[in-house]
């Protein structure tokens, strides 16, 4: 009797296991069919969506976003030293002439800081004008970025400039990228605004390269002047369509460093018999003109094209092309390659020369004040210079 009962129980257990297996398989088949149908209809179950998100999380995290940023340019200002030196006057300092300089560079004069005048004072003047232009209270500024390669204080001028204009609650720091500095500064500050970390920023480009020029070298001393420009940026709060930075692209290549540099040239100082250190100083600006020209005329059109593509804007839709004010021949070549007429190229090179990080905002301020650049205009900006570094941003003014 016990043997028969044992066999009956075993048979029932086996049958139950088979039923369970079949039921499980049918459920899985139904789930798979439902998922397939949902995918075809565009609706994915929540559990499946979570799995898909987890699988795609890594690629999305590293996906580049160089398109529109929720950052608007709402104010501009500039400042330059009172001292002006014309090409003719410079010919009494070094063997050159107005024709020689202007035909090769487009420069006719430059503004130079006098002894006792500081770069931070110049930067603060430009920043104050930008705040006045925007109608923004300095106390509401949360971020100050000062792009410069020639600060009064090697530890940085930004905090001092922020205090001078009344932005006492702002975090402030210097950014060094030479002639690309202002453009790098705008894109850096815009990231903070885009993410919501800050709502209002002040970006200043300022340089005094007259401090670091060899005034006996006519190939470099004729190029540079001193100046500063600033913009006020605010986070766009009205959503899509209100972005001021439409797209950007940034690059650098340290292999080109010897072509344009301002190198450390410390003098050895022994510390008794303990060690030797150096007393700090820098050599004058060194530039291989032909290499810089080739670099600028090849890389700048490329990077402007990248920024335009990232912005979803064509060259025909650009109202203004604003390049770092380095050399008129570079500007003409870049404009030609982009098929943008020179009538759309903003240029004040003849008055200020190459003011490095100050050149783009100086030129933009003049164009805004002259009524050329109007609210809603699309501007393709590009900076390039030492590093080597180069970049472009497509912005909508106002």
């Amino acid at each position: 009797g016990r043997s028969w009962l044992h066999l009956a129980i075993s048979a029932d257990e086996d049958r139950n296991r088979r039923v369970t297996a079949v039921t499980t398989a049918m459920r899985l088949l139904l789930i798979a069919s439902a998922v397939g149908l949902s995918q075809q209809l565009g609706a994915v179950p929540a559990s499946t969506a979570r799995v898909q998100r987890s699988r795609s999380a890594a690629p999305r995290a590293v996906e580049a976003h160089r398109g529109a940023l929720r950052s608007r340019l709402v104010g501009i200002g500039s400042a330059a030293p009172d001292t002006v030196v014309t090409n003719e006057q410079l010919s009494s300092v070094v063997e050159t002439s107005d024709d020689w300089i202007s035909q090769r560079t487009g420069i006719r004069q430059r503004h130079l800081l006098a002894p006792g005048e500081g770069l931070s004072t110049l930067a603060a003047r430009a920043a104050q004008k930008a705040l006045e232009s925007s109608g923004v209270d300095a106390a509401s500024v949360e971020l100050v970025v000062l792009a410069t390669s020639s600060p009064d204080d090697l530890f940085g001028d930004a905090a001092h400039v922020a205090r001078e204009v009344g932005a006492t609650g702002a975090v402030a720091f210097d950014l060094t990228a030479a002639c690309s500095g202002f453009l790098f500064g705008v894109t850096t500050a815009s990231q903070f605004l885009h993410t919501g970390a800050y709502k209002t920023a002040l970006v200043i480009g300022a340089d005094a390269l007259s401090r670091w020029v060899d005034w006996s070298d006519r190939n470099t001393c004729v190029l540079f002047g001193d100046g500063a420009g600033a913009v006020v940026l605010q986070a766009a709060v009205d959503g899509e369509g209100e972005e001021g930075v439409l797209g950007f692209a940034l690059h650098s290549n340290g292999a080109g460093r010897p072509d344009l540099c301002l190198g450390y040239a410390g003098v050895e100082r022994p510390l008794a018999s303990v060690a030797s250190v150096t007393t700090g100083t820098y050599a004058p600006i060194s530039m291989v003109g032909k290499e810089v020209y080739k670099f600028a005329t090849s890389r700048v059109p490329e990077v402007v094209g990248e920024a335009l593509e990232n912005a979803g804007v064509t060259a025909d839709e650009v109202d203004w092309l604003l390049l770092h004010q380095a050399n008129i021949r570079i500007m003409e070549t870049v404009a030609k390659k982009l098929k943008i007429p020179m009538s759309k190229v903003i240029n004040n090179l003849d008055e200020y020369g190459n003011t490095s990080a100050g050149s783009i905002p100086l030129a933009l301020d003049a164009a805004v004040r002259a009524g050329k650049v109007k609210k809603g205009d699309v501007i393709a900006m590009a900076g390039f210079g030492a590093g080597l570094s180069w970049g472009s941003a497509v912005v909508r003014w106002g």
Side-chain angles (χ1 to χ4, degrees):
R2 290 181 180 178
S3 178
W4 176 86
L5 180 61
H6 176 73
L7 290 173
I9 292 173
S10 297
D12 286 342
E13 287 176 347
D14 184 62
R15 184 169 54 255
N16 289 338
R17 281 197 297 268
R18 288 199 300 272
V19 169
T20 300
V22 169
T23 302
T24 301
M26 290 178 67
R27 285 177 179 174
L28 290 173
L29 181 60
L30 287 171
I31 290 172
S33 299
V35 169
L37 179 60
S38 297
Q39 289 175 335
Q40 289 177 9
L41 295 175
V44 179
S47 59
T48 306
R50 284 195 294 270
V51 173
Q52 289 179 344
R53 282 197 297 271
S54 67
R55 288 175 178 173
S56 62
R60 286 187 182 181
V62 298
E63 182 180 352
H65 174 76
R66 302 187 183 100
L69 298 175
R70 292 186 292 273
S71 170
R72 297 170 53 234
L73 287 73
V74 298
I76 184 118
S78 65
D82 293 332
T83 301
V84 175
V85 175
T86 66
N87 290 346
E88 195 62 39
Q89 290 173 315
L90 200 57
S91 66
S92 65
V93 178
V94 66
E95 185 181 348
T96 190
S97 68
D98 178 54
D99 286 343
W100 191 90
I101 299 171
S102 60
Q103 288 177 11
R104 286 166 174 78
T105 67
I107 300 169
R108 293 195 176 276
Q109 64 178 40
R110 71 282 299 144
H111 295 245
L112 304 177
L113 280 176
E117 295 179 337
L119 179 81
S120 56
T121 302
L122 207 60
R125 280 172 50 197
Q128 187 62 53
K129 290 179 180 179
L131 288 166
E132 292 170 1
S133 165
S134 67
V136 171
D137 182 3
S140 68
V141 175
E142 299 169 292
L143 172 67
V144 176
V145 179
L146 173 57
T148 185
S149 300
S150 49
D152 293 338
D153 182 349
L154 278 180
F155 287 158
D157 283 350
H160 172 70
V161 170
R163 179 180 179 276
E164 287 293 291
V165 301
T168 53
V171 59
F173 58 86
D174 286 25
L175 183 155
T176 301
C179 302
S180 302
F182 175 76
L183 191 131
F184 281 28
V186 167
T187 54
T188 298
S190 293
Q191 303 291 334
F192 285 99
L193 301 183
H194 181 75
T195 61
Y198 302 116
K199 294 180 180 178
T200 305
L202 181 63
V203 178
I204 311 157
D207 267 311
L209 294 186
S210 65
R211 296 171 170 177
W212 302 108
V213 163
D214 178 357
W215 288 100
S216 66
D217 177 10
R218 73 169 186 169
N219 292 314
T220 56
C221 75
V222 302
L223 302 175
F224 298 99
D226 305 332
V231 292
V232 175
L233 303 173
Q234 286 190 316
V237 295
D238 297 327
E240 188 176 353
E242 294 297 320
E243 296 91 348
V245 177
L246 306 180
F248 66 94
L250 308 175
H251 295 281
S252 60
N253 181 7
R257 182 181 187 179
D259 295 334
L260 182 54
C261 59
L262 202 170
Y264 181 73
V267 178
E268 183 178 357
R269 179 185 175 184
L271 301 179
S273 59
V274 177
S276 287
V277 295
T278 57
T279 299
T281 187
Y282 286 83
I285 294 171
S286 171
M287 183 175 71
V288 184
K290 289 182 178 179
E291 293 302 316
V292 173
Y293 179 85
K294 287 193 294 185
F295 149 69
T297 53
S298 61
R299 294 304 184 190
V300 175
E302 290 177 1
V303 78
V304 173
E306 287 180 52
L308 288 171
E309 182 177 353
N310 292 337
V313 174
T314 67
D316 291 337
E317 294 172 314
V318 171
D319 295 300
W320 300 100
L321 178 62
L322 175 52
L323 304 175
H324 164 52
Q325 308 286 293
N327 183 299
I328 191 63
R329 291 182 176 179
I330 292 175
M331 296 163 74
E332 290 170 345
T333 302
V334 172
K336 183 177 180 180
K337 287 187 176 183
L338 291 170
K339 295 181 171 58
I340 294 177
M342 284 301 292
S343 59
K344 287 187 174 184
V345 177
I346 296 173
N347 172 21
N348 69 349
L349 181 64
D350 58 335
E351 182 180 352
Y352 294 98
N354 182 344
T355 56
S356 192
S359 80
I360 289 177
L362 263 168
L364 180 58
D365 183 41
V368 170
R369 285 187 290 106
K372 284 180 159 183
V373 173
K374 299 177 176 61
K375 183 177 174 62
D377 280 0
V378 174
I379 309 166
M381 305 190 302
F384 53 92
L388 297 171
S389 62
W390 65 103
S392 177
V394 181
V395 304
R396 181 187 292 113
W397 176 250

